Amino acid sequence: MNKPLQGIRIIDFTHVQAGPACTQMLAWFGADVIKVERPGSGDVTRSQLRDIPDVDALYFTMLNSNKKSLTLDTKTQAGKEILEKMIKTSDVMVENFGPGALDRMGFTWERIQELNPKMILASVKGFSDGHHYEDLKVYENVAQCAGGAASTTGWWKGEHSEPTISAAALGDSNTGMHLAIGILTAYIGRQQTGRGQKVAVSMQDAVLNLCRVKMRDQQRLDRLGYLEEYPQYPHEAFGDVVPRGGNAGGGGQPGWILKCKGWETDPNAYIYFTVQGHAWAPICDALGKPEWKTDPNYTTPKARQPHIMDIFATIEDFIKDKTKYEAVDIFRKYDIPCAPVLSMKELLNDESLRKSGSIVEVPHKERGSYFTVGSPIKFSDLKPEVTGSPLLGENTDEVLESLGYSQDQIKALHADKVV
Ligand code: COA
């Protein structure tokens, strides 16, 4: 099987989620990823949220497949020497330590360039260099608040109208995906110039990049004073900031979450329904409302908007005796963009996702097999094979040998707790 990133050696100095998600993806595509972890404890996610005592947690196994693990105390002199050797023989170093940690360890960008001018240093931080919050340590939800997601997600009135966090890892894994693009870009750049470079993505920027349409809306609001696709329009007043829009479509197509049969007891008995402007006639046909096709109150998106919630209520009434799957099966025949709200349980057991490799079962030396999310990127010439995550220090000796250490030297490094 062709693995395009084969031969690229990556020092994976990452932990928790943002960095590991990036290096895991590069490992799936063939890169040789060596995770460097603190002796004794390793990545904190090995022991966080464990479901089996003393066994690496799913938090770790699901973000570190296809990697090797080397334990190394990089605060000791011998540990620093090993890391120096690795830098000299690797292509990329990825890290997501707190601000300044790598410098304090003695590995400034200047020092790394001295050791290997071809090295690509890729970093995740909460905020970008020079930002007035650059000294802050950041986790997922902090980034969602700082990047605009929280202020624009959730409800604008009622009991739960405070800013809301998304369950999707917009701050962590999303930043890692941005970083992967940056690394591959720098790698291609290096083929042209022969030089490495520093690649940095801040979690705030990565979240903001996904909130691009909300910044679009802020500027429209500043100019117009209203946002016609938001549920507040036209009956409620707008303030001077983009409001939270509940489950509104967010783009040019109004949409909403609609109840289906069983919603009273099943928290996910819902579908998302989208009213595409040009697909109004099929919607009328699907609902058995042919008269709406010519009724001036309904013929244009603008005409529909003042009573869009009534339209959604009519659709809800139509599907109240249908399961979410039955409802989607009806609407799909009319080319209406819609989908059932799927639970994690349903996704985990989804045959199509298993077949495509989006959900894979992976063996693990200690926990037995577990399920993980496979590559969301599909290629015609590459089928990423997801392997189990390494145990802590599983590849320490093998990596040290590859760096030229003798068996006696390796023994001494273990005895001194350097590795
Ligand atoms: N050997 C010796 N020391 C090691 C080591 C190793 N193998 N690996 C890490 N360390 C040290 C670091 O050098 C650092 O030491 P110092 O602070 O004395 O200089 C120390 O461990 C702590 O590192 P830090 O990254 O600050 O850990 P933390 O647990 O306090 O903070 C985060 C965790 C995630 C908040 C922080 O790393 C961060 O803000 N990262 C950037 C943003 C990010 O990626 N956040 C999301 C993660 S999903």
Side-chain angles (χ1 to χ4, degrees):
M1 183 72 74
N2 176 30
K3 288 189 177 165
L5 303 192
Q6 207 152 16
I8 301 181
R9 198 166 146 100
I10 298 181
I11 304 171
D12 182 13
F13 222 171
T14 70
H15 63 160
V16 202
Q17 184 175 170
C22 165
T23 48
Q24 172 172 260
M25 183 164 275
L26 300 176
W28 286 339
F29 303 157
D32 183 15
V33 176
I34 300 169
K35 186 164 174 105
V36 179
E37 297 178 81
R38 215 195 289 248
S41 51
D43 188 328
V44 68
T45 58
R46 285 189 186 267
S47 55
Q48 272 181 346
L49 313 176
R50 273 188 175 146
D51 57 325
I52 306 175
D54 303 325
V55 170
D56 286 336
L58 288 164
Y59 197 0
F60 179 85
T61 64
M62 292 179 74
L63 285 158
N64 291 283
S65 56
N66 298 50
K67 302 181 184 177
K68 291 176 184 157
S69 167
L70 161 81
T71 48
L72 190 63
D73 184 346
T74 52
K75 286 198 173 159
T76 62
Q77 194 46 44
K80 286 187 208 300
E81 280 164 23
I82 293 169
L83 188 59
E84 284 186 2
K85 285 199 168 97
M86 290 177 76
I87 290 173
K88 284 181 185 160
T89 52
S90 299
D91 302 286
V92 183
M93 180 152 101
V94 190
E95 65 91 21
N96 67 320
F97 292 127
L102 201 59
D103 292 353
R104 289 193 292 278
M105 221 182 265
F107 293 92
T108 59
W109 172 227
E110 291 68 31
R111 176 71 185 133
I112 291 168
Q113 280 174 295
E114 258 169 41
L115 293 166
N116 180 358
K118 291 178 86 176
M119 174 59 78
I120 292 160
L121 172 64
S123 298
V124 167
K125 295 287 167 269
F127 295 89
S128 55
D129 277 353
H131 190 283
H132 56 274
Y133 284 148
E134 70 174 350
D135 57 321
L136 282 178
K137 289 188 175 181
V138 168
Y139 282 110
E140 173 68 51
N141 294 348
V142 178
Q144 289 201 24
C145 290
S151 83
T152 51
T153 303
W155 298 89
W156 67 100
K157 61 181 177 187
E159 202 187 335
H160 297 292
S161 58
E162 61 273 12
T164 303
I165 298 300
S166 165
L170 308 175
D172 284 340
S173 279
N174 168 46
T175 307
M177 299 304 101
H178 279 80
L179 193 69
I181 296 168
I183 290 169
L184 296 175
T185 303
Y187 190 79
I188 293 169
R190 190 179 89 170
Q191 288 169 344
Q192 291 155 10
T193 64
R195 285 193 317 278
Q197 59 179 308
K198 189 171 186 296
V199 182
V201 183
S202 84
M203 294 168 72
Q204 181 189 38
D205 289 350
V207 173
L208 179 58
N209 192 29
L210 295 198
C211 293
R212 184 170 292 262
V213 294
K214 297 296 174 183
M215 193 157 279
R216 169 201 69 191
D217 293 347
Q218 184 61 52
Q219 295 177 80
R220 290 168 58 225
L221 183 66
D222 290 344
R223 189 179 301 272
L224 302 170
Y226 64 90
L227 296 165
E228 76 237 28
E229 76 282 21
Y230 279 63
Q232 291 82 354
Y233 179 85
H235 309 296
E236 294 175 34
F238 282 82
D240 64 355
V241 299
V242 173
R244 291 185 274 286
N247 289 320
Q253 334 288 349
W256 205 253
I257 297 257
L258 305 177
K259 289 175 188 142
C260 296
K261 185 178 162 186
W263 66 272
E264 298 91 339
T265 51
D266 175 354
N268 295 302
Y270 294 83
I271 62 166
Y272 200 89
F273 189 99
T274 314
V275 181
Q276 260 187 322
H278 62 271
W280 180 242
I283 291 173
C284 301
D285 289 335
L287 298 175
K289 292 261 180 207
E291 66 277 16
W292 278 4
K293 286 193 220 174
T294 47
D295 184 335
N297 280 324
Y298 293 94
T299 42
T300 65
K302 204 170 177 169
R304 289 192 289 272
Q305 192 58 34
H307 44 267
I308 195 78
M309 285 303 170
D310 298 334
I311 293 172
F312 288 134
T314 304
I315 305 171
E316 220 166 44
D317 190 53
F318 174 75
I319 57 177
K320 68 173 185 271
D321 57 349
K322 299 167 184 68
T323 67
K324 60 186 176 183
Y325 299 111
E326 288 165 350
V328 167
D329 278 344
I330 292 171
F331 295 138
R332 72 197 295 189
K333 293 196 186 92
Y334 294 88
D335 246 0
I336 295 167
C338 61
V341 171
L342 295 174
S343 67
M344 276 300 137
K345 193 176 180 118
E346 287 165 316
L347 289 164
L348 193 52
N349 294 305
D350 186 305
E351 273 177 35
S352 298
L353 295 180
R354 294 279 183 97
K355 211 165 132 199
S356 68
S358 295
I359 297 203
V360 287
E361 192 168 5
V362 181
H364 184 271
K365 290 189 185 68
E366 291 182 341
R367 67 161 40 249
S369 73
Y370 62 95
F371 289 97
T372 191
V373 182
S375 173
I377 305 175
K378 314 293 182 200
F379 303 87
S380 62
D381 254 5
L382 165 69
K383 193 164 181 359
E385 188 199 336
V386 182
T387 61
S389 61
L391 300 178
L392 179 62
E394 186 175 334
N395 311 95
T396 300
D397 293 2
E398 169 194 335
V399 174
L400 292 175
E401 276 169 36
S402 76
L403 294 172
Y405 286 85
S406 69
Q407 290 305 321
D408 286 347
Q409 286 173 315
I410 294 173
K411 253 190 216 147
L413 288 166
H414 278 289
D416 293 343
K417 296 197 164 35
V418 173
V419 296

